[in-house]
Amino acid sequence: MNTENNATVTSTAVVETPKSVTTPAQIKSPINFGAQGVKLASLEDAFRFANAIVASGFAPRGMEKPEAVLAAIQLGAELGLTPMAALQNTAVINGRPAIYGDAALALVRASGLLESFAEEEVGEAGKDSFGVRVSAVRRDGSKGSETFTIGDAKAAKLWGKSGPWTDYPRRMLKFRARGFVLRDVFGDVLKGLRTVEEVRDFPEERNVTPLSEKVSGGLTMSITQGGAT
C-alpha cells in the first residue's frame, strides 16, 4: 500500500516600510481659532497671519509688507493687544513706533491700576492760556497732572500747523497732555511708548547709514526657508 504525503506550502508577502515620510511643503499645521479669533502660537503662525492681512488689504497704510505687520503684532502682544487691535492702534512714524492716544488710555483702564482720571479745559477760549489739563492717579497713590495750552503749542511751533492741529485743535491739546501724563504715571503699562499724536509732530529723521551696510531681506528669507509661507 502506497502512502502519499501532501506538503502544504505557505507564501509570505514582505512589505517594506519606507524609512522616512516626506510631508508636502504645502501642508501646514492648522492655526487654532477661538472666541477672540486666531491664536498665534509661533513665529511661523504670526508670519502666515501677517501675509494674510497684507493679501486681504486690511493692512494699515505704512504696513503694506508682512514684516511690518508682524512687527506691529509683536508690539501689540507686548502691550496686551490682540493682533487686529495692534494693527489698528499702533503706527510707525519716521521709524518710531507709537500708539494712538485713545488706545493708550484704554490699556491703562484695562490694567486695573487706574484709580481716577480727569480731563478738563482751562484758561480763556481763544487765548494762549486756553488748554487742557489731564490728571491721573494710580491705585498705589502715585499721580500726575499735565496741562498743554495754545501757548505751549505755539512755542513748539504746532499751533496752526496744517493737519490735525488746524482741523481738531482742542483734541490735539488734549492728546498731548494725555500722552504726557499716561507715559509718566503708567510707563510700565505703555512700555515707554509715546502717542501717535505726539510722534507725528517730530521732525523727520534721516538715515545716514551707508546703503551697503543696511540689512535687507533677512527676516523674510529665514522664515520662508523654514517653510512658513
Side-chain angles (χ1 to χ4, degrees):
M1 183 174 181
N2 295 327
T3 304
E4 184 175 349
N5 295 326
N6 295 324
T8 302
V9 179
T10 303
S11 299
T12 303
V14 179
V15 179
E16 295 185 0
T17 302
K19 295 182 179 180
S20 62
V21 177
T22 302
T23 302
Q26 65 270 23
I27 299 179
K28 304 182 181 71
S29 59
I31 297 177
N32 292 328
F33 198 92
Q36 293 186 334
V38 296
K39 298 179 180 179
L40 307 178
S42 68
L43 177 61
E44 288 72 21
D45 286 353
F47 195 67
R48 286 166 60 190
F49 180 75
N51 274 280
I53 291 296
V54 172
S56 71
F58 264 70
R61 184 178 180 182
M63 296 186 188
E64 292 85 359
K65 294 183 178 181
E67 293 86 353
V69 173
L70 179 61
I73 292 174
Q74 171 61 32
L75 180 63
E78 294 179 14
L79 292 171
L81 294 171
T82 60
M84 291 305 295
L87 291 178
Q88 298 302 315
N89 290 295
T90 60
V92 177
I93 303 172
N94 296 331
R96 188 188 300 267
I99 184 170
Y100 282 94
D102 287 333
L105 179 57
L107 284 172
V108 168
R109 290 187 186 280
S111 71
L113 300 175
L114 182 64
E115 178 68 31
S116 64
F117 181 82
E119 296 176 332
E120 57 179 334
E121 294 184 348
V122 298
E124 184 179 351
K127 302 295 184 180
D128 284 2
S129 63
F130 179 80
V132 177
R133 178 185 298 123
V134 179
S135 304
V137 180
R138 284 180 69 122
R139 292 194 182 279
D140 63 5
S142 56
K143 55 186 177 180
S145 180
E146 285 285 348
T147 302
F148 202 80
T149 65
I150 293 177
D152 294 326
K154 288 181 176 179
K157 298 180 175 58
L158 300 173
W159 195 251
K161 181 180 178 181
S162 179
W165 278 103
T166 54
D167 298 337
Y168 314 102
R170 270 186 166 87
R171 288 191 65 81
M172 293 307 294
L173 292 172
K174 177 173 68 174
F175 278 128
R176 186 55 61 93
R178 178 190 293 180
F180 289 159
V181 168
L182 295 183
R183 194 166 73 247
D184 289 345
V185 184
F186 297 94
D188 53 335
V189 176
L190 302 179
K191 312 302 181 187
L193 283 180
R194 298 173 186 265
T195 61
V196 169
E197 293 79 11
E198 179 183 357
V199 175
R200 65 184 168 196
D201 288 325
F202 291 170
E204 185 174 356
E205 298 178 355
R206 294 181 58 193
N207 188 345
V208 296
T209 304
L211 182 61
S212 60
E213 296 181 14
K214 293 181 180 179
V215 178
S216 63
L219 179 59
T220 301
M221 185 177 297
S222 63
I223 294 180
T224 55
Q225 287 179 346
T229 57

